[in-house]
Amino acid sequence: MTTRVLICDELPVVRDGLAGALTREPDIDVVATTGDGTDALALARQHTPDVLITDIPLARRSGLEVAAEVTGPAWPAPHPEVLVFTTQADDATVMKALEAGAYGYLLKDTPSEEVIRAVRALVAGEAATSGRVTRRLIDWLYWRNAQPVAAAQQGLQSLTPREREILLLVAAGLPDADIAAKLTLQEATVRSHIYHLREKLTLRDPAQLVVFAYQSGFTVPTVPDAWSPPGRAPGPPRRPR
């Protein structure tokens, strides 16, 4: 099955670069590109893409406005998955993108193979974020909701030492390739371990693994200054028991 992609970015060089990388994949078809938010909505109606990749600054309407509209209740089904592809990694912008309906958020220094992987992940119903964005997002979620869940703690008992090691690195936001290098493993072996972790813990995708790591108390994030509770200093990350 071919995944249809619409690319929205003000810079032609970015549009062309993304389109070139994606169209080399036999299962991905770039149906249109634009640098204009209003045109993006018209093209989305015309081509019904599976994934809409957008930067935030666009002519006439922003990428966040486009995301909110194509994922909103008034948009005819099927709704495209939205992948924000931007240079902006500040906390407020990430949260606004998620609130607008984006399930993907990558920074523009992301290698093209990770962008391709993200497109496929979104179509498969998974979330896709850059490691740095994932870590900041989980930091925020942890301190907003932050009591370890007993059921999640019980799930830790079923993990092998290697699975615990990999879970710790996934929670730190490392991509598969970096985990493989750090543990001197093949990348395919890391992906297999992550798959078995998800199966064992009945979690849908790698993003849920990260949430699990914090909910269970397996690891504790370093809290950004803007989110630190008054009078409370963050403790050191916990290591596997």
Side-chain angles (χ1 to χ4, degrees):
M1 179 178 136
T2 300
T3 297
R4 299 160 59 80
V5 177
L6 171 61
I7 298 171
C8 312
D9 196 289
E10 281 192 313
L11 299 176
V13 66
V14 175
R15 296 197 301 269
D16 294 346
L18 270 179
L22 292 171
T23 52
R24 284 195 291 270
E25 301 299 310
D27 59 331
I28 297 176
D29 179 25
V30 176
V31 295
T33 68
T34 183
D36 183 289
T38 300
D39 289 348
L41 292 170
L43 289 167
R45 290 189 184 94
Q46 178 184 348
H47 294 287
T48 60
D50 302 298
V51 177
L52 187 151
I53 301 176
T54 184
D55 196 356
I56 293 169
L58 296 175
R60 292 199 284 181
R61 299 190 68 177
S62 75
L64 296 183
E65 291 178 282
V66 172
E69 185 150 342
V70 301
T71 61
W75 192 264
H79 297 250
E81 298 291 346
V82 176
L83 171 59
V84 173
F85 189 65
T86 185
T87 59
Q88 300 181 46
D90 62 281
D91 310 330
T93 303
V94 173
M95 297 314 300
K96 284 177 183 177
L98 298 176
E99 288 168 358
Y103 267 61
Y105 198 107
L106 297 181
L107 302 181
K108 284 188 175 177
D109 60 1
T110 301
S112 59
E113 57 269 21
E114 288 189 31
V115 178
I116 292 164
R117 213 159 28 231
V119 167
R120 291 175 177 145
L122 287 170
V123 171
E126 300 179 1
T129 61
S130 294
R132 277 179 288 160
V133 171
T134 301
R135 186 58 187 256
R136 296 180 71 80
L137 173 60
I138 296 302
D139 286 348
W140 182 83
L141 288 172
Y142 180 87
W143 289 110
R144 186 177 175 186
N145 307 290
Q147 292 302 319
V149 177
Q153 289 179 320
Q154 291 173 3
L156 288 174
Q157 306 307 314
S158 66
L159 303 185
T160 67
R162 177 63 87 185
E163 287 169 340
R164 287 167 172 255
E165 201 171 20
I166 288 176
L167 178 59
L168 189 69
L169 296 174
V170 170
L174 270 65
D176 295 352
D178 289 357
I179 295 173
K182 192 172 185 68
L183 299 179
T184 322
L185 297 172
Q186 295 294 322
E187 192 171 344
T189 303
V190 171
R191 285 197 292 269
S192 177
H193 278 299
I194 292 173
Y195 172 80
H196 288 301
L197 272 169
R198 289 165 48 194
E199 288 286 301
K200 193 175 284 189
L201 300 171
T202 63
L203 300 174
R204 189 186 71 174
D205 56 48
Q208 289 187 345
L209 274 179
V210 181
V211 173
F212 169 86
Y214 291 107
Q215 284 185 329
S216 65
F218 181 71
T219 189
V220 176
T222 301
V223 184
D225 291 342
W227 296 332
S228 296
R232 182 175 181 179
R238 294 182 190 170
R239 293 293 176 182
R241 299 180 186 86

